[in-house]
Amino acid sequence: MTWYLFIGDMLVTAFMIVLFVWLSLRSTRAQFDAVARIPLEDEERRG
Amino acid sequence: MTVRHYEDRVVTAFLYCAVFWALLGMVAGVWVAAELVWPTIDFGIPALSFGRLRTAHTTLVLFGFGVSALIATAIYSVQRTSHVRLFAPGLAWALFWAWQLAIVLGAASILAGWTSAKEYAELEWPFDIAIAVAWVAFAVIFFGTIARRKVEPIYISNWFYGALIIVVAMLHIVNSLALPATLGKSYSLFAGAQDAVVQWWYGHNAVGFLLTGGFLGMLYYFLPKQAEQPIWSYRLSIVAFWAFVYTYIWAGPHHLHYHAVPEWVQSLGMVMSLILLAPSWATMVNGIMTVAGAAKKLRTDPALKFIVLALAFYGLATFEGPMLAIKSVNVFSHFTEWTIGHVHSGALGWNALITFGTFYFLVPRLAGVPLYSTRLANVHFWLALAGTMLYVLAMWGAGVSQGVLWLSLDDLGEVRFSFNDVMAAMQPYYLLRLLAGLAFLAGTVLMAVNLAKTFAGRPTAVAMPPAGRRA
């Protein structure tokens, strides 16, 4: 049981590391900056 | 007259109730603090006994104040960051009434002696079912709004609110699995060590995803709004989110050090708690750097002051937590008031202060008028800071004293001090804690008055005549 848990834990950890790397590389700085401004430009919109 | 497109009336209703529950919950907290100084002030009334009133205190502040504030701010911010009106506003009103009714009846049931005996999940099975249904309604409203968004990226605050909704649902349902015996009594499906592991998987992640994740959602939306600055590093906020989500879920077993659970489970809980310091401080640094661009505003704006102070306490509490999770520290700190001090440095210093700051930001905007009194808000700020600091220092003193006294052995290797000896030594600290609670409560009363006066001064809606009669 312990080994199953350990292997499961390591798989989850590997997935998270891949996710970290992917998230860090997928967008440009300009795209991140644009998203960061969302709360500053939301009052004048009338959806 | 202001024409409002977003659905903000339900936000205002949740906000009113959050302030009410904060006051009631803090009065209960001050009362139980006084009972530790003068144990006879329960007057022999079962509903005022420490066990019931303390549970009512935690239920009112966590689920009454905290969750009402989280739902209010989630509904407010998700509409704006998605550029759409709230999905299913009628359901949001149903959620409002259901949640408030659950808190009223739930607190009454606790005072009447109903309890599942699970910490922070004491409400019995009828309430557990009602909470699960209400939470699903919250999920439908929130994710329904996200699904209809007109802005493609999902802003980071919504990721945190989303994690709050999903993980708390999972924790609540699993931890509440029980066999009902009567209307007011049920028995957990889990037993012994299993029950303990499930309980602290729930308990610690309720702290993690409700008191930390949910309020980080509040931070990531209202800090940039109030500072009028974008978040310093958006990339860091995303990495911190995923690191936070991944790491927090493992940390629960640090509540069970030296208990009847496997040694490796305890060690894993400790290691994950230490790793958790990285995403926690990444968020704190991100917040502080965001405020650095608005240093001038910090001098005069009480809302921003509250939010920044909350960040500082967030940093302190998320450093102290991993330290207390180290097994060799925990052997000293466990079963002492140090834990209570740690919880309150988070609950008062982080959760309450960021909520107060957010309310000082929100109420003038919802009412359409400036805050009634900046001076009162500043007095509140200093009372809240003094109350939190005094509380934490008193409990540190009490906790370290208890740790030393519990572990003190005589020449025969037996404990040197009895439980009564240790409790007698706590009296000065308990009195200081009571004063701290009173100061914090006094500040909250000032805020309630200030916000009520602000709402009272809002412009009256202009009744438009029918189209045919217009000039």
Side-chain angles (χ1 to χ4, degrees):
Chain A
M1 185 65 180
T2 300
W3 280 106
Y4 283 120
L5 287 170
F6 177 74
I7 292 165
D9 293 353
M10 290 305 104
L11 285 173
V12 172
T13 303
F15 168 76
M16 291 305 294
I17 289 169
V18 171
L19 186 68
F20 276 19
V21 173
W22 179 67
L23 283 170
S24 300
L25 298 178
R26 69 187 282 262
S27 298
T28 63
R29 186 182 176 90
Q31 285 171 316
F32 279 132
D33 288 347
V35 181
R37 295 200 64 80
I38 286 177
L40 304 177
E41 297 165 354
D42 58 4
E43 290 293 347
E44 69 274 20
R45 296 297 185 103
R46 294 289 180 264
Chain B
M1 187 178 70
T2 309
V3 178
R4 293 204 179 281
H5 175 77
Y6 297 126
E7 173 52 61
D8 285 342
R9 287 169 303 162
V10 72
V11 173
T12 308
F14 269 111
L15 194 150
Y16 271 128
C17 287
V19 174
F20 174 74
W21 294 127
L23 289 171
L24 203 61
M26 286 177 200
V27 167
V30 166
W31 195 277
V32 289
E35 284 184 355
L36 286 172
V37 183
W38 304 291
T40 56
I41 62 167
D42 65 359
F43 308 114
I45 302 167
L48 291 182
S49 61
F50 183 89
R52 294 191 191 181
L53 201 55
R54 185 263 178 184
T55 307
H57 160 64
T58 52
T59 301
L60 289 173
V61 292
L62 272 173
F63 303 111
F65 169 50
V67 172
S68 293
L70 286 172
I71 296 176
T73 54
I75 288 177
Y76 182 90
S77 60
V78 73
Q79 298 179 77
R80 285 161 172 79
T81 51
S82 302
H83 291 180
V84 287
R85 189 175 159 81
L86 191 68
F87 177 72
L91 187 61
W93 278 106
L95 168 65
F96 169 76
W97 289 110
W99 193 260
Q100 305 314 322
L101 189 66
I103 299 299
V104 171
L105 296 179
S109 76
I110 285 167
L111 292 177
W114 292 17
T115 177
S116 66
K118 281 172 169 272
E119 195 165 14
Y120 309 131
E122 289 90 350
L123 293 173
E124 267 295 353
W125 67 272
F127 296 102
D128 290 338
I129 293 172
I131 287 170
V133 172
W135 208 254
V136 170
F138 183 23
V140 169
I141 296 159
F142 184 82
F143 291 114
T145 308
I146 295 270
R148 296 199 310 173
R149 73 190 185 281
K150 293 185 174 170
V151 182
E152 195 195 343
I154 300 173
Y155 183 65
I156 187 68
S157 61
N158 293 326
W159 286 90
F160 277 101
Y161 282 125
L164 157 80
I165 293 168
I166 292 169
V167 178
V168 168
M170 177 178 75
L171 299 169
H172 172 73
I173 290 168
V174 174
N175 190 48
S176 301
L177 290 173
L179 289 174
T182 65
L183 186 65
K185 187 62 205 158
S186 62
Y187 294 94
S188 174
L189 282 192
F190 310 103
Q194 249 186 1
D195 188 42
V197 171
V198 172
Q199 160 61 27
W200 284 110
W201 171 74
Y202 163 85
H204 192 74
N205 288 298
V207 173
F209 286 85
L210 199 151
L211 295 178
T212 309
F215 286 85
L216 285 176
M218 199 187 280
L219 175 86
Y220 274 116
Y221 181 76
F222 289 98
L223 175 63
K225 293 291 281 188
Q226 191 62 9
E228 295 171 345
Q229 298 281 330
I231 202 76
W232 178 64
S233 169
Y234 196 79
R235 193 188 300 262
L236 183 60
S237 72
I238 294 178
V239 172
F241 170 80
W242 287 105
F244 165 86
V245 167
Y246 170 63
T247 316
Y248 225 116
I249 207 85
W250 306 76
H254 71 218
H255 288 264
L256 297 166
H257 283 338
Y258 306 106
H259 286 57
V261 297
E263 180 83 24
W264 69 267
V265 175
Q266 300 174 33
S267 299
L268 184 68
M270 178 182 87
V271 170
M272 285 302 186
S273 304
L274 286 165
I275 295 172
L276 197 50
L277 188 58
S280 302
W281 275 38
T283 298
M284 183 192 65
V285 169
N286 214 352
I288 296 289
M289 294 305 286
T290 304
V291 178
K296 212 170 183 178
K297 200 179 180 197
L298 189 56
R299 292 192 201 130
T300 53
D301 186 335
L304 193 57
K305 276 196 247 185
F306 270 103
I307 293 175
V308 172
L309 184 62
L311 257 179
F313 273 105
Y314 174 72
L316 284 173
T318 53
F319 174 76
E320 189 182 32
M323 295 306 112
L324 290 173
I326 297 171
K327 290 176 82 174
S328 50
V329 176
N330 199 267
V331 76
F332 183 87
S333 70
H334 206 93
F335 298 127
T336 76
E337 301 288 353
W338 191 349
T339 308
I340 318 303
H342 168 62
V343 168
H344 282 81
S345 79
L348 301 179
W350 158 237
N351 300 122
L353 293 191
I354 192 165
T355 307
F356 296 159
T358 299
F359 284 2
Y360 281 122
F361 170 86
L362 267 181
V363 169
R365 280 158 183 81
L366 292 171
V369 290
L371 186 67
Y372 171 71
S373 170
T374 304
R375 189 186 172 88
L376 268 185
N378 280 323
V379 174
H380 176 201
F381 175 82
W382 290 110
L383 278 171
L385 175 59
T388 308
M389 286 305 298
L390 189 58
Y391 194 113
V392 172
L393 290 172
M395 291 299 97
W396 277 346
V400 172
S401 303
Q402 281 177 326
V404 171
L405 295 173
W406 295 140
L407 296 176
S408 179
L409 303 178
D410 63 16
D411 294 339
L412 296 173
E414 294 181 349
V415 288
R416 190 185 297 273
F417 299 102
S418 70
F419 181 75
N420 283 349
D421 294 333
V422 177
M423 291 308 288
M426 292 301 107
Q427 286 305 298
Y429 301 113
Y430 286 167
L431 191 58
L432 278 179
R433 186 248 301 270
L434 174 59
L435 293 174
L438 282 169
F440 200 88
L441 174 62
T444 310
V445 170
L446 291 185
M447 179 190 74
V449 171
N450 206 353
L451 299 185
K453 290 272 192 186
T454 307
F455 267 121
R458 70 187 183 279
T460 314
V462 179
M464 298 297 285
R469 294 185 192 171
R470 282 181 199 160

